[in-house]
Coordinates of all heavy atoms in Angstrom, one line a residue:
S218 N -16.8 12.4 -39.2 CA -15.9 11.3 -38.9 C -14.9 11.7 -37.9 O -14.5 10.9 -37.0 CB -15.2 10.7 -40.2 OG -14.5 11.8 -40.8
A226 N -12.3 8.0 -29.0 CA -11.1 8.2 -28.2 C -11.4 8.6 -26.7 O -10.8 8.0 -25.8 CB -10.2 9.2 -28.8
P237 N -9.2 -0.3 -14.4 CA -8.2 -0.7 -13.4 C -8.7 -0.4 -12.0 O -8.4 -1.2 -11.0 CB -7.0 0.0 -13.7 CG -7.1 0.3 -15.2 CD -8.5 0.5 -15.4
A246 N -15.1 -5.3 -1.8 CA -15.9 -5.1 -0.6 C -15.6 -6.2 0.4 O -15.5 -7.4 0.0 CB -17.4 -5.1 -0.9
Y268 N -42.3 -26.9 2.5 CA -43.2 -26.2 1.6 C -44.5 -25.9 2.2 O -45.1 -26.8 2.9 CB -43.4 -26.9 0.3 CG -42.4 -26.8 -0.7 CD1 -41.4 -27.8 -1.0 CD2 -42.3 -25.6 -1.5 CE1 -40.4 -27.6 -1.9 CE2 -41.3 -25.5 -2.4 CZ -40.4 -26.5 -2.7 OH -39.4 -26.3 -3.6
S275 N -36.6 -19.0 4.0 CA -35.2 -19.4 3.9 C -34.3 -18.5 4.7 O -34.7 -17.4 5.1 CB -34.8 -19.4 2.4 OG -34.8 -18.0 2.0
R279 N -23.5 -16.4 8.0 CA -22.1 -16.6 8.2 C -21.9 -16.9 9.7 O -22.6 -16.3 10.5 CB -21.3 -15.4 7.8 CG -19.9 -15.4 7.9 CD -19.3 -14.1 7.3 NE -18.0 -13.9 7.9 CZ -17.7 -12.7 8.5 NH1 -18.5 -11.7 8.5 NH2 -16.5 -12.6 9.0
V280 N -20.9 -17.7 10.0 CA -20.5 -18.0 11.4 C -19.0 -17.9 11.5 O -18.3 -18.3 10.6 CB -21.0 -19.4 11.9 CG1 -20.5 -20.5 11.1 CG2 -20.7 -19.6 13.4
D313 N -23.3 -25.7 24.8 CA -22.0 -25.3 25.3 C -21.1 -26.5 25.7 O -21.5 -27.7 25.5 CB -22.2 -24.3 26.5 CG -22.8 -24.9 27.8 OD1 -22.9 -26.2 27.8 OD2 -23.2 -24.2 28.6
C361 N -41.2 -27.1 9.8 CA -39.8 -26.9 10.0 C -39.0 -27.8 9.1 O -39.3 -29.0 8.9 CB -39.4 -27.2 11.5 SG -40.1 -26.1 12.7
Y368 N -21.7 -25.1 13.0 CA -20.4 -25.0 13.7 C -20.3 -26.1 14.7 O -21.2 -26.5 15.4 CB -20.4 -23.6 14.5 CG -19.2 -23.4 15.3 CD1 -18.0 -23.0 14.8 CD2 -19.2 -23.7 16.7 CE1 -16.9 -22.9 15.5 CE2 -18.1 -23.5 17.5 CZ -16.9 -23.1 16.9 OH -15.8 -23.0 17.7

Side-chain angles (χ1 to χ4, degrees):
S218 58
Y268 277 105
S275 67
R279 180 174 158 233
V280 59
D313 67 14
C361 293
Y368 175 80

